[in-house]
Amino acid sequence: DVKVTQSSRYLVKRTGEKVFLECVQDMDHENMFWYRQDPGLGLRLIYFSYDVKMKEKGDIPEGYSVSREKKERFSLILESASTNQTSMYLCASKYGSSSYEQYFGPGTRLTVT
Amino acid sequence: GDSVTQMEGPVTLSEEAFLTINCTYTATGYPSLFWYVQYPGEGLQLLLKATKADDKGSNKGFEATYRKETTSFHLEKGSVQVSDSAVYFCALSDPASGSARQLTFGSGTQLTVLP
């Protein structure tokens, strides 16, 4: 079974802190994604990566950056956390460039106070 | 751009009731369509998919048919169980928009099934 793991299930940070969310997948997938999930808004794509060191902006990249130094790991960085970044963050991975299934991690519930 | 519209939730049903969750989409080309399910405390997992018009995806008693003429992909189940309580997301992947790798999600529908 494909496994996507995220470093924390719950995280509480203060405004202005730099926050790192880590995601690791074990199936050698080329593509990895970061979404945020908010009630009534569904999932919105923040960034995705289709190869090591490659990244593309999604729909809501402002306030975030990403890093992909190894194929299995994709990090989401909040340079200076703000209260409006309180959300559920979901990582996903996918094989190939066509319409295949994305595999999701369990999510990180981030609260910024 | 591409978009997915789902019926507003939450939906509350009694066990063994019939379920329909409506989903319509707009897309540039001919997308693939998906239903994902998120059980409490978990990430999303694929429930079913359809890749071309008139395809029917099915899994765990759930079904959805890709209707190109009405741009719809409604989720149905004949007899729901308490264990079906979850959030359901409709999604599409549209190669014509240059983003075959990506999914566009609807807002999600919370389903609660009462015993």
Side-chain angles (χ1 to χ4, degrees), chain B residues 3 27 41 46 49 53-54 64 68-69 80 114:
Chain B
S3 66
L46 181 66
K49 68 179 180 184
D54 300 324
K68 183 170 176 287
E69 64 277 12
V80 293
L114 302 176

Side-chain angles (χ1 to χ4, degrees), chain A residues 5 33 38 45 47 94 104:
Chain A
T5 57
F33 307 83
D38 300 290
L45 182 65
Y47 268 97
K94 187 171 84 74
F104 283 81

Side-chain angles (χ1 to χ4, degrees), chain A residues 21-80:
Chain A
L21 302 182
E22 303 284 337
C23 175
V24 177
Q25 51 93 4
D26 66 357
M27 281 300 291
D28 205 35
H29 286 171
E30 294 89 347
N31 303 282
M32 297 187 74
F33 307 83
W34 276 106
Y35 297 90
R36 62 177 282 175
Q37 181 181 6
D38 300 290
L41 297 177
L43 274 73
R44 293 179 292 168
L45 182 65
I46 304 171
Y47 268 97
F48 72 99
S49 168
Y50 54 88
D51 202 351
V52 174
K53 296 190 185 297
M54 306 302 289
K55 61 184 179 184
E56 285 197 25
K57 293 180 180 179
D59 299 320
I60 52 164
E62 295 78 18
Y64 303 94
S65 62
V66 291
S67 172
R68 191 155 181 215
E69 296 297 320
K70 294 184 177 181
K71 192 173 186 180
E72 68 270 19
R73 187 179 298 269
F74 191 36
S75 302
L76 180 69
I77 303 155
L78 287 66
E79 297 290 343
S80 177

